[in-house]
Amino acid sequence: MVLALLRRHRSSHSQETAPIPPGAGALDCLVLDPVQLPMHRAEVAVRDPNGQEVVHGQTDPHGRFAATVPPGDYSIAVTAEGFQPVRRSVRAEEGARTALDPVAMEPAPLPAMPAPGAWRIDPDHTAVRFVSRHIGLAEVHGRFNRFEGTLWIADRVENSRLDVVVETASIDTGVAQRDEHLRSRDFLDVATYPYMQFTSERFVHRGGSRWSVQGVLDLHGVSRNITLDSRYLGIGTGIMGETRAACSASAELHREDFTLDWRSMLSRGIAMIGATIRVELDVQAVPAE
């Protein structure tokens, strides 16, 4: 225990006294959360007077960020999910280590939530995309072009409901031959399973604008529990004066969970598609008429 503490102290001391490269200055920054504890993984960006980013990184488990830069004036922006951004000005001196005053982060105000009631997903301003690996190399990006859905916002948002239906035949990767293959029995088998559906009755607030939307995905004749890692983006007004609510979400699906394992091709030594598929959503919803 004592030896571990000594090693940690020596490691921290060595970082603080690490030599500064010739012709450079060093900047040190300590980021604290609202209860004055070190904040891990806060984003720190260092920009020059022209606004160009010089250094970008994250704070370590002790809330510290350090960088060497050419001498001169800089602005430092510290951001973290759910907190208000903080900006500081600092000057780096050649051969010197400049420590900023500790940066205390404050919670960001929560965006206004949608009014209780039914909200219709607007397909003209919503994207249902996916990303997968092709033969273990390049990524293949695609989308589904036809879908509809309704979000019922409860008085207590955690009790809200979501129902989305996607036409599987509307898959679009930009390559007609590949799309036809994806519609075949090897993959989606759209003749047998023309729709996939996601339903949820559990919304879990993860802090700030982060939510987990937990529900069931029915795909290819199989039902599986999945979780959408969601970010609520707030309320806005459209060009026709309509109220809009927006969010983004993502999830990672395993092919074999939905019997899309392509074992016949694997047996022939052809590994065409990766084991996982990442789903990415950009959603806008309007009050249902």
Side-chain angles (χ1 to χ4, degrees), residues 115-162:
W119 290 71
R120 177 181 61 84
I121 292 177
D122 180 3
D124 293 335
H125 295 86
T126 296
V128 179
R129 301 185 300 270
F130 62 88
V131 183
S132 64
R133 287 275 179 185
H134 180 248
I135 61 173
L137 299 174
E139 290 182 339
V140 173
H141 295 250
R143 60 185 293 156
F144 290 91
N145 292 323
R146 294 191 297 274
F147 50 85
E148 60 182 31
T150 304
L151 173 63
W152 290 270
I153 299 295
D155 291 331
R156 185 173 181 268
V157 177
E158 287 80 356
N159 296 330
S160 299
R161 294 186 292 125
L162 174 65

Side-chain angles (χ1 to χ4, degrees), residues 119 125 233-246 284-287:
W119 290 71
H125 295 86
L233 302 176
I235 298 290
T237 303
I239 60 174
M240 302 300 293
E242 75 279 11
T243 301
R244 292 180 171 273
Q284 288 192 26
V286 295

Side-chain angles (χ1 to χ4, degrees), residues 1-14:
M1 179 70 174
V2 174
L3 289 177
L5 290 173
L6 285 174
R7 291 192 193 100
R8 185 180 303 172
H9 174 76
R10 287 171 181 168
S11 175
S12 174
H13 181 72
S14 64

